[in-house]
Amino acid sequence: METFKGNKIHGGIAIGTVLFYSREQRKIARRRVDDVDKELARLDEAKRATVCRLQELCQRAREAADNQSAQIFESHLVMLEDYDLNTAIANIIKNQGVNAEYAVAVTGDSFVARFENIEDEYFRARGEDIRDVTERVIDALMGDANRLEVFEPSIIAAHDLTPSETLKTDKTKLLAFVTQKGSVNSHTAILSRAMNIPAVSGIDVKAEWDKRTAIVDGHSGIFILEPDDETIESYRSLQKNDERQARLLSRLKGVKTVAKNGRPLRLYANAGSLDDIDAALDNDAEGIGLLRTEFIFMGSPQMPTEQQQFEIYRRAVQKMAGKKLIIRTLDIGADKQLPYMALSKEDNPAMGCRAIRLCLARPELFKTQLRAIFRAGVYGDVSVMYPMIASVDEVRRIKRLADEVKEELANENIAYGSVEQGIMVETPAAAIISDILAKEVDFFSIGTNDLTQYTLAIDRQNSDLGEFFDSRHEAVLRLIKMTVDNAHSVGIWAGVCGELASDLSLVPKLVDMGVDELSVAAGMVLQVRKAVCEG
Ligand code: PEP
Ligand code: MG
């Protein structure tokens, strides 16, 4: 038995078998399939998605006058249609009755090997192109980053996990996460909280742990490899204790969230999927204070169309059945990437062309999302919220685009709802000019994760800096207070949707500051209600 001490990411206890995951070693399992035609149709669909992706990349390269890259993507499009390659893949599926990703992978390997043995450098390079094309088709089949295949309940041990890897894993098979990288405020950590999966980071994870029994104690940030029977027993009783606590908390369902001073608070939940909305409602959240739409986009092999987005938002608002749903527009950039968007690499992506900057740079993308959100507004209480605002000019530009969208919908006789517009206050600039911004919008939602990162100049992703990343820092608390006061002075509301909202010992202070709304992971709703009511 070996015990390792790491960082607490999300509470809870898991006992089970380790599945070691390494991004470099994507394992493509050979699976027998019953329905070969269905598998061939899957392959066709993946090829279609790959064509779209390559065409988009090609166009992007042309726009950037990068002819060399455009030619490479064009040659990949031609390769994708290669008769020999496609016949070989289809034959493996048909003759062996196996899954498409396996057929693509073995065909790719054998074609690459053929090219690698040719002396001519030009032809050897073509082998690399075949590798690239077949990898893209496999990405489309498995979901770009879904290289983490979990077939039985497992403790996932990995050096690090990206949000999309985390998102695309079958939640029902996840017992816990143990990673080396991953700070408390990284998006992967946020996702583990949203899924209510115990998680510990800062552990020097080893490949040889694969398939061994382990315990993850998310309450104390402890990982135990090959625990003895006595330790397993004591952790089983701790698990039972957690279950008892959860039962006690469930008595708070239906109870109003009212602070000791008699002031009611709105207790909302954060969500990144329709499943999260179900979890929020199960935990008696009074609304959704932050729907991170980029997580929905990450689950899609290509950019969702207006109609696809509209269907998702409409289903979300219908699930809410009259309760408020605050949809945040795309917050892409830094650790949250959409592979099909091909964003250019930046030296400092957390400060780069992300979130609202990206949307303002690509108005067609932004307007498509706004159209879908406004249309969904017909079905219930929908608000929209814009991330990473730093200036009044940005807000005015957004409002002009939103007005254009409404006018266009009206001209097309397409119904849209009345949707309140708010901003996230998550840059120090927004907090400092919140008196001016408050006159422009309907509400503020304070994003303490980024507000802490930018105020303290500490990378929220860097787990080595965990001891310095302090959302309770006086500078952050003063910015929160200033923002809330400025909101109230013009009669709008201000909430907190960053992780600080579920810091139970700080909740009474946020209440005292006059915060009107707290939005937290679904699994934290009842604990926060208890903290608000008990003061
Ligand atoms: C925040 O920054 O506090 C926030 C809620 O947004 P995200 O964590 O998605 O960046
Ligand atoms: Mg943020």
Side-chain angles (χ1 to χ4, degrees):
M1 174 166 117
E2 270 182 286
T3 302
F4 303 83
K5 177 82 182 85
N7 311 314
K8 298 180 256 182
I9 296 291
H10 186 56
I13 286 159
I15 305 171
T17 310
V18 172
L19 173 76
F20 177 77
Y21 168 70
S22 160
R23 189 165 307 124
E24 293 75 44
Q25 302 162 4
R26 165 156 67 179
K27 285 200 196 114
I28 298 167
R30 181 180 192 276
R31 265 187 303 109
R32 290 205 65 81
V33 292
D34 298 329
D35 190 341
V36 163
D37 288 338
K38 199 165 148 203
E39 209 53 24
L40 289 168
R42 265 187 81 224
L43 176 66
D44 276 348
E45 182 56 40
K47 279 189 352 212
R48 264 197 298 279
T50 310
V51 168
C52 290
R53 171 83 183 113
L54 283 168
Q55 283 170 338
E56 197 186 324
L57 286 168
C58 195
Q59 192 190 338
R60 195 72 47 73
R62 290 219 178 288
E63 281 165 11
D66 179 357
N67 284 338
Q68 206 180 358
S69 302
Q71 275 167 12
I72 293 174
F73 295 132
E74 268 168 8
S75 72
H76 287 189
L77 278 163
V78 174
M79 251 173 220
L80 197 56
E81 298 307 326
D82 184 82
Y83 177 81
D84 290 344
L85 184 76
N86 284 302
T87 312
I89 297 171
N91 281 346
I92 292 178
I93 298 177
K94 282 190 246 172
N95 301 341
Q96 301 183 23
V98 292
N99 51 320
E101 39 279 75
Y102 173 77
V104 177
V106 289
T107 311
D109 286 347
S110 93
F111 273 63
V112 170
R114 268 191 245 165
F115 278 102
E116 268 171 2
N117 291 331
I118 299 176
E119 282 251 320
D120 188 314
E121 203 181 309
Y122 172 82
F123 281 105
R124 276 209 309 277
R126 298 293 69 74
E128 284 308 305
D129 289 331
I130 297 256
R131 167 80 65 222
D132 209 278
V133 169
T134 49
E135 286 290 313
R136 279 193 195 285
V137 177
I138 296 170
D139 282 348
L141 280 162
M142 298 176 76
D144 173 62
N146 193 10
R147 291 151 195 210
L148 171 55
E149 288 186 90
V150 191
F151 296 112
E152 52 200 47
S154 306
I155 293 171
I156 310 299
H159 181 260
D160 68 322
L161 288 168
T162 63
S164 53
E165 282 165 333
T166 314
L167 268 170
K168 290 186 180 173
T169 308
D170 180 356
K171 283 180 208 167
T172 60
K173 306 269 168 48
L174 291 177
L175 294 179
F177 293 116
V178 49
T179 55
Q180 192 191 345
K181 294 246 170 203
S183 64
V184 177
N185 286 281
S186 66
H187 284 99
T188 305
I190 289 171
L191 282 168
S192 69
R193 267 171 236 134
M195 297 187 223
N196 208 9
I197 308 274
V200 171
S201 76
I203 304 283
D204 189 9
V205 172
K206 303 259 183 335
E208 62 258 30
W209 294 354
D210 195 44
K211 300 201 171 57
R212 288 159 76 177
T213 304
I215 294 175
V216 175
D217 174 356
H219 298 303
S220 326
I222 284 176
F223 175 76
I224 306 171
L225 189 68
E226 304 214 306
D228 55 32
D229 290 348
E230 204 182 319
T231 309
I232 292 185
E233 253 338 286
S234 75
Y235 272 96
R236 284 210 199 291
S237 69
L238 286 174
Q239 266 180 329
K240 292 220 172 73
N241 194 36
D242 280 355
E243 284 159 19
R244 254 194 312 278
Q245 294 298 332
R247 275 197 300 278
L248 280 176
L249 273 175
S250 70
R251 294 193 194 148
L252 289 177
K253 287 184 186 175
V255 170
K256 288 213 161 59
T257 314
V258 180
K260 264 201 161 155
N261 61 11
R263 197 167 65 84
L265 233 97
R266 291 178 232 169
L267 182 50
Y268 290 174
N270 297 342
S273 65
L274 293 175
D275 286 351
D276 287 353
I277 292 182
D278 291 335
L281 294 171
D282 280 352
N283 283 283
D284 200 32
E286 296 156 30
I288 295 292
L290 165 62
L291 177 63
R292 290 181 164 100
T293 56
E294 60 279 2
F295 288 161
I296 296 172
F297 281 49
M298 278 180 197
S300 164
Q302 60 213 30
M303 183 63 79
T305 60
E306 175 188 329
Q307 189 58 24
Q308 287 166 336
Q309 290 187 51
F310 164 67
E311 300 289 352
I312 295 168
Y313 306 148
R314 183 180 59 180
R315 277 174 62 203
V317 70
Q318 284 174 333
K319 274 178 188 285
M320 295 305 291
K323 291 181 172 177
K324 187 174 265 312
L325 170 68
I326 303 180
I327 304 177
R328 180 176 75 182
T329 57
L330 203 53
D331 185 7
I332 279 301
D335 63 322
K336 291 183 286 191
Q337 292 290 332
L338 295 178
Y340 47 82
M341 269 188 82
L343 297 181
S344 39
K345 284 246 174 304
E346 295 175 295
D347 286 342
N348 200 346
M351 295 197 181
C353 185
R354 55 171 295 197
I356 203 65
R357 296 172 200 157
L358 184 70
C359 286
L360 289 173
R362 299 212 192 161
E364 73 301 340
L365 170 89
F366 189 42
K367 283 173 79 175
T368 302
Q369 184 171 32
L370 289 180
R371 281 174 68 99
I373 294 172
F374 290 150
R375 286 172 59 195
V378 170
Y379 298 87
D381 186 355
V382 174
S383 300
V384 63
M385 163 160 98
Y386 307 110
M388 290 291 296
I389 296 297
S391 75
V392 178
D393 178 58
E394 284 162 355
V395 176
R396 294 199 176 137
R397 283 170 66 193
I398 293 167
K399 288 201 305 191
R400 275 199 296 277
L401 287 171
D403 286 344
E404 266 174 46
V405 163
K406 287 187 218 166
E407 203 180 310
E408 284 162 15
L409 287 171
N411 290 341
E412 293 164 44
N413 280 325
I414 298 176
Y416 62 90
S418 94
V419 170
E420 288 195 337
Q421 297 183 68
I423 57 165
M424 290 202 61
V425 175
E426 52 183 346
T427 64
I432 292 165
I433 60 165
S434 52
D435 55 331
I436 315 173
L437 290 170
K439 296 181 191 133
E440 300 282 337
V441 296
D442 297 316
F443 64 91
F444 286 155
S445 186
I446 304 171
T448 50
N449 311 332
D450 279 317
L451 188 60
T452 306
Q453 158 164 262
Y454 298 118
T455 304
L456 306 185
I458 295 178
D459 180 1
R460 65 188 271 191
Q461 295 293 117
N462 188 339
S463 50
D464 295 340
L465 297 175
E467 61 172 310
F468 299 106
F469 191 97
D470 178 14
S471 291
R472 307 163 67 120
H473 191 291
E474 185 59 25
V476 179
L477 297 182
R478 284 188 195 184
L479 290 176
I480 296 175
K481 175 81 174 110
M482 185 193 285
T483 304
V484 174
D485 288 347
N486 284 332
H488 290 171
S489 66
V490 296
I492 66 167
W493 64 266
V496 176
C497 65
E499 296 301 290
L500 193 67
S502 49
D503 181 333
L504 298 177
S505 61
L506 195 82
V507 163
K509 185 160 184 142
L510 293 174
V511 172
D512 283 348
M513 284 184 186
V515 165
D516 303 286
E517 173 241 31
L518 294 173
S519 191
V520 300
M524 291 301 295
V525 166
L526 296 173
Q527 292 186 60
V528 173
R529 178 169 290 155
K530 186 164 181 273
V532 172
C533 296
E534 292 178 357

